[in-house]
């Protein structure tokens, strides 16, 4: 009976993670998403449409299937709105694996100022889409966003975004690892900013951060956004960090 119960628990969690992995996969492949964005950008702002329920840019032929009450279609998208998808996309908040809480404007400004003070020319943004958007639009600092939310691929080319899980250091696209390594090792002063879910284990995050350092070939200047009361866990997992 005990063995049966243990198997049931293991099987439940296995199926749960398979479900999360499946839900993390985009409906369209990267090439189709890039083509869709090119079409949307070529349209006049008043002709652009976005379904908030589906989290998806819409083409003309898809409008009819999104007009019922179950969908919420925004009509008219400026270039500025296309450049800030984190403000268009509804945060994922229905499961612990992808709970999203975006930085406030004041936090983004603080981080931008600190990165500029440090003389950074490139920033690897892990789970920080708002910071990525601000860096690329206002500071001139080059940024690569790594995030598990595949919806950002609709708005950002591969050189600016890769779908990535920070808890197992996994790139969802085959070219993700090489692209990220080229970004980290090309000329410039690089910093890493990572904002994990607060429930994440520091030990697991430490392994992922060290893998990114290894890809860079050195220990990067790193800003980890984490609860202050987790300091002992963070220092134990990553002794070189200071809180």
């Amino acid at each position: 009976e005990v063995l049966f119960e243990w198997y049931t628990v293991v099987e439940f969690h296995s199926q749960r993670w398979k479900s999360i992995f499946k839900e993390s996969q985009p409906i369209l492949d990267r090439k189709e998403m890039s083509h869709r964005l090119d079409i949307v950008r070529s349209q006049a702002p008043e002709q652009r449409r976005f379904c908030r329920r589906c989290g998806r840019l819409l083409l003309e032929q898809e409008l009819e299937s999104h007009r019922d009450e179950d969908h919420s279609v925004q009509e008219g998208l400026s270039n500025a709105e296309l450049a800030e998808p984190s403000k268009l996309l509804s945060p994922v908040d229905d499961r612990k694996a992808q709970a999203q809480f975006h930085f406030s404007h004041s936090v983004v400004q603080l981080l931008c100022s600190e990165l500029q003070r440090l003389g950074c020319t490139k920033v690897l943004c892990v789970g920080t889409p708002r910071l990525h958007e601000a860096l690329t639009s206002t500071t001139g600092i080059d940024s690569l966003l790594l995030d598990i939310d595949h919806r950002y691929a609709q708005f950002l080319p591969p050189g600016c975004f890769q779908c990535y899980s920070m808890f197992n250091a996994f790139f969802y696209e085959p070219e993700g690892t090489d692209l990220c390594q080229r970004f980290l090792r090309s000329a410039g002063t690089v910093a890493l900013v990572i904002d994990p879910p607060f429930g994440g284990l520091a030990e697991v995050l430490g392994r992922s951060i060290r893998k990114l350092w290894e890809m860079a070939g050195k220990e990067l200047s790193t800003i980890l956004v984490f609860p202050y009361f987790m300091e002992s866990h963070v220092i134990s997992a990553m002794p070189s960090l200071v809180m």
Side-chain angles (χ1 to χ4, degrees):
E1 182 179 352
V2 173
L3 288 176
F4 177 75
E5 289 178 355
W6 171 247
Y7 173 81
T8 301
V9 171
V10 171
E11 182 66 17
F12 170 79
H13 286 292
S14 175
Q15 293 300 322
R16 179 61 177 152
W17 279 110
K18 285 179 181 178
S19 174
I20 290 173
F21 181 81
K22 183 178 180 181
E23 292 171 13
S24 298
Q25 304 309 299
I27 298 173
L28 304 173
D29 65 30
R30 197 58 180 267
K31 186 176 180 180
E32 290 173 320
M33 286 187 178
S34 296
H35 179 61
R36 178 179 294 258
L37 181 58
D38 288 340
I39 293 174
V40 171
R41 280 178 171 166
S42 69
Q43 296 172 327
E46 61 271 16
Q47 295 177 318
R48 300 166 180 166
R49 295 170 177 88
F50 176 77
C51 181
R52 290 188 173 276
R53 178 179 178 272
C54 300
R56 185 172 174 180
L57 292 169
L58 298 178
L59 301 182
E60 190 68 31
Q61 61 269 27
E62 297 170 334
L63 288 177
E64 195 59 37
S65 62
H66 288 259
R67 291 202 182 280
D68 60 63
E69 59 184 16
D70 290 335
H71 295 273
S72 176
V73 176
Q74 177 177 336
E75 300 195 9
L77 295 171
S78 66
N79 291 334
E81 287 175 307
L82 286 178
E84 296 182 323
S86 69
K87 295 179 181 179
L88 280 176
L89 297 167
S90 299
V92 178
D93 59 4
D94 61 342
R95 56 178 183 262
K96 293 180 181 178
Q98 279 197 59
Q100 292 178 325
F101 298 92
H102 293 306
F103 290 152
S104 66
H105 177 73
S106 59
V107 171
V108 169
Q109 293 305 304
L110 174 65
L111 289 171
C112 285
S113 297
E114 183 63 15
L115 291 165
Q116 288 177 306
R117 186 189 68 79
L118 292 171
C120 297
T121 58
K122 298 189 299 182
V123 178
L124 185 63
C125 292
V126 183
T128 61
R130 288 272 168 92
L131 177 61
H132 169 80
E133 293 164 1
L135 288 172
T136 54
S137 64
T138 64
T139 68
I141 294 176
D142 193 12
S143 172
L144 172 61
L145 173 63
L146 304 184
D147 199 287
I148 199 170
D149 191 344
H150 62 79
R151 297 177 298 173
Y152 286 103
Q154 296 177 90
F155 301 89
L156 301 169
C160 293
F161 168 74
Q162 286 292 312
C163 196
Y164 172 82
S165 169
M166 70 176 75
F167 287 108
N168 56 16
F170 177 73
F171 287 89
Y172 285 82
E173 298 179 72
E175 69 275 15
T177 301
D178 289 341
L179 191 151
C180 183
Q181 187 167 51
R182 288 197 301 272
F183 177 85
L184 291 172
R185 296 203 176 195
S186 59
T189 302
V190 190
L192 166 64
V193 181
I194 180 169
D195 179 27
F198 286 173
L201 295 176
E203 181 181 355
V204 176
L205 290 168
R207 285 198 294 267
S208 295
I209 288 173
R210 284 190 293 273
K211 284 185 178 181
L212 292 172
W213 289 349
E214 288 171 7
M215 291 174 67
K218 60 183 177 181
E219 185 171 312
L220 299 171
S221 296
T222 300
I223 298 176
L224 170 65
V225 181
F226 220 52
Y228 73 91
F229 53 81
M230 295 293 289
E231 178 178 3
S232 61
H233 297 279
V234 171
I235 298 305
S236 175
M238 293 160 280
S240 61
L241 296 188
V242 177
M243 291 187 75

